[in-house]
Amino acid sequence: MQPSDRTEDGSTKDGSHVETTLAPPHREVAAQTHNAGRVYGKGNAQVRAIDGVTVSFAKGQFAAIMGPSGSGKSTLLHCMAGLDNLTSGSVSIGDTNVTALSEAKRTELRRDRVGFIFQSYNLVPSLTARENILLHCTFAKTKPDQAWFDEVVSTMGLADRLSHTPTELSGGQQQRVAAARALVHRPEIVFADEPTGALDSRSGRRLLTLLAHVAHDKNQTIVMVTHDPVAASFADRVIFLADGKVVQEITKPTVERILQIVQELDEKQENKNAEHLDEWGDPLAVTE
Amino acid sequence: MLRITLKSIRSHLSRFIFTGLAIMLGVGFVMGTFVLTDTLDTAIGKAISDANQNVDVVVQGKSLDPDDTLTPRPPISAGLVDTIRTVDSVAAVSGYVVDFVKILDKDGEVVGAGGWPFASAISWPSSPELQVFSFRGAGKAPETSEEIVLDAALVENEDFSVGDRIELLIDEERHSFTLTGVIGFTETDNMAGTSLAFFDLATSQKLFDREGQVDRIEVVASENLSQDELVDRLRSVLPAELEIITGEDETERTQDAISGQIAIFSNFLAVFAGISLFVGAFMIHNTFAIVVAQRNRELGLFRALGASRRQVLSSVLLESLALASIASILGIGFGVVIAALLQAAFEAIGGSLPDVAPDIRPSSVLISVSAGLLITLFSVLGPARKGAGVAPLQALREEPEATDMPPWRRTLSGFVFAFLGVTLLVAGLFVGDGSMEAVLAGGALLFLALAVLAPYAAPTLVRFIGAPIARIFGIGGSMGRTNALRNPRRTAATASAIMIAIALITTVSVIIQSLSKTVGDETEQALLADRVVSGEGQLGSISPDIAHELAGLPGVETVFPIRQEFYGTPWRLDDKLKTLVGIDPQGIDQVLDLDLKAGNLADLADGGIAVREDEAEDEGWFLGDEIPMEFSATGLQQVRIDAIFGARVLSPYLLSLVDYERNIISQTDSLILLKLSDEAAANKVTDLLSAYPDLGLLTVDEFVEDIRGSIDQLLGITSVLLGLTLIISLLGVVNTLALSIFERTREIGLLRAVGMSRRQLRSSIRWESVIITLIGAFAGVLIGLGLGIAASTAAEDGLTIAVPTGMIISFVILLTFSGMIAALLPARRAARLNPLTAIAEE
């Protein structure tokens, strides 16, 4: 893992400055879950992907969700974005209880009020960058706000790439197109699922800087799932998940602090696994 | 959204080429049928109205069927021409003798033999107002019994010139004339494909046995009299038994009769056009099923980003409709080309049509395009709904979802289709007079059901047929088999189209072969004669004099003429038109075994009729009953049933020659059966027949072959038309392979990277193709045999089952090679893939 190249005061080595102050506590809530649970499968094959997660995200906050593989972080994100449905508890975006919505209403929610950035970009190869960015508007049959479109595009550094198709763009550019797509319809909240997972560290850093900038300067709520402590360190707040539960939460994260927590959680997990074995006895021991 | 759809098509254009081709072919066949039919209709209609343009009234004898304009009517007295001439306001009048001749070419062969050997023989119009044709070059009307005028098309094809001696056959007897002129119509060289021979009236009357008679009188009114008024005037002076109608009615009636003939032909073509669309539907369905599966991620992404189910559904449907629209428009053009080609073929074999532009009616375009669009929409609905049902989370997954067995609802619908299909088939075949529509709909449903259920059988069939291929052809063969097993639904859908084409070919060939065998066997069984005198294609129209001549030869023990007009001798029972033949009851037991059921054939001698058992049963007649027979010459007659027989040869009604001569106008024999004492007698007969170029002496075996040949010809035509369907289904194989290879790009790259040779790769794709083709062929042959044998057995009185094994085997061999050819293009593309880029491809 790369050591953090970011200093405590938030300025990066390359000199750009990122606002990291946490939003005031009285700010309105963009999204929250209450006792959220999601079970897959039936009977013995049942898997509890998330189990009683209660968490809320303030407007304008850039939050990261971390946790080992299988901790339920992606499931939590999918359920909050209206891509998947909880089996217990509730999720709301703004004042809307997503859990209570029909599939058609959830589709509208995804279209109008939510943005999503995928790890593998998920651009439509036959469409240009501009057309990809405008997909939400196409589906909603609305015209984009031209000024905002221009601003998003220039922020993402895509102004001269709009007529290119995805195959003509680098990975970093493609992911910035995806980010622009997630922002251009002014969603209440943007969900990002490992957005830097497929990028090299330089492109990843650029994207994260931009996301943080959008969150703080444009008051855009962003919730990002990541397993990369460096990526998480760009957020205002990091929530740690293990076995489908929130196990820890820190604000103003640094890479060192995150790494420390990850390590603690890993140790706990190992102890737990050992206990688990004790409970069942040593499988290698010969019973009389 | 439309733009996204169109972009998607453009970026995947290559995947749609073969599907578009299938739609185009299907629409083209439908359109071609319409255009050809309408063009022929218009052209022949125009030829008829041109020929009748100056005729105000037609006077002729009454036909048994008032709408029939094709079979001859009883002649009327030639003196009526003079009677009509004296009627007020008659500007011109002409009486005609109309009959048929066979023209001989310069080599002494009958022109058009094997097809339609007859030319219309017409007497020269006696008044110039009624002469709608004109001489081409120098020429004069026929005036003596030695002179003839022919049409320009015939003269040109046979390379005749004015002054030549023209040989022709009237009732098979040779006559010779001098060509004095060549005529043509304003726009055409002959009468819509029919050759014309003109004689002067007196010569016609003598040649065709109409002394003092004519067949038809055409009348021209003076300018201020309407056609209807002239009809009224003529009716008041002419005998009541004549038919007097206006020229307009005559034109219309003739046109309708021709249209009816054309409609039979076009319905036949339309059935095949429909079948090709139906087979095309499988390909459309398959392509979209594959393309939608390949686009799962993209459609899932659309859903994740907030596209509604309806938007996704309509984007797929829109995509298919855009494709279908383009393909249908091309199909319209293709159809016009097909029609033009067929028309050119018609003209090449001697038909001359008025120079009309292809008759492209808006309704034809509308129906053809709608057929293309609807069949596409119908085929795509399933895949589109599946695409719309893609879970948004699909977008986040890496691998496309594996395709599994059809859900139980589809399976259930398969069985429901099968049940409905069989019900409709049975109802269409056996309820009442049967219904072609019900049979076609039932067949379509049954095939649909088989296609729905095919995925269950596909894996077993692939293993079974693939086993020897895998064993013999090594790694390529066994990989081909594995790949064919990979997606049973896709393999089944591709093979289904081939299955349908092969099943249809097998069904039709079994039915026709059985029919042919049955007719052949029964004829052979019934014929006790040694030899048969027959005209080419059994279109003999033999003068009774020839039978008399034969009877005079030494060694000829029995001469048994079958008296029958070549278009069937008509009579009417109440409102049903039937046909009969005339026979001489003396000596019948020497030449025919009619499987007598009741009565005595010898009793026919003093006037009576023999009826076949099945007809007698249908009508509820018994031996000794008198039945009302209406003849065109003598009207209603009561005729006694003297015998009931079982053999299905000749005709269901055998009239004694005595009655035949009394009631039927023209006396010609279609066949003459002979009993000979020895071979020497046969040689004498052959010598005698050498004077009659269209007559041949056949052994019973040759005669049976001849009869079966004309039935087998039907098999040839249907096989060619169904072969077109097979080509469409093979396009489906190419298409599926190409799409599967696209899907497997990464895997192919990987295999190549770890050392698979191009040759091995190509061979695996080749065998995959052959296996898919062969399971379609195998299933098709089985189903076709089942349906063909069932239909033949169920046919009235049952047929002797005959399976054209050789033909079926050669079709399967042909298909194996076609399967290899189908794999060429996809295999080449796969082999060309660069392993590295293939692996990198997302």
Side-chain angles (χ1 to χ4, degrees), chain A residues 31 77 80-81 93 114-118 189-193 222-224:
Chain A
L77 202 72
M80 290 180 74
I93 303 276
V114 168
F116 210 108
I117 305 171
F118 304 89
I189 187 164
V190 171
F191 295 100
D193 192 356
I222 300 175
V223 176
M224 170 178 76

Side-chain angles (χ1 to χ4, degrees), chain B residues 326-345:
Chain B
I326 297 168
S328 297
I329 289 166
L330 292 175
I332 294 298
F334 178 59
V336 174
V337 172
I338 294 179
L341 287 177
L342 286 173
Q343 200 184 324

Side-chain angles (χ1 to χ4, degrees), chain B residues 729-742:
Chain B
S729 63
L730 281 168
L731 281 180
V733 178
V734 182
N735 193 41
T736 306
L737 283 177
L739 292 173
S740 310
I741 283 160
F742 181 82

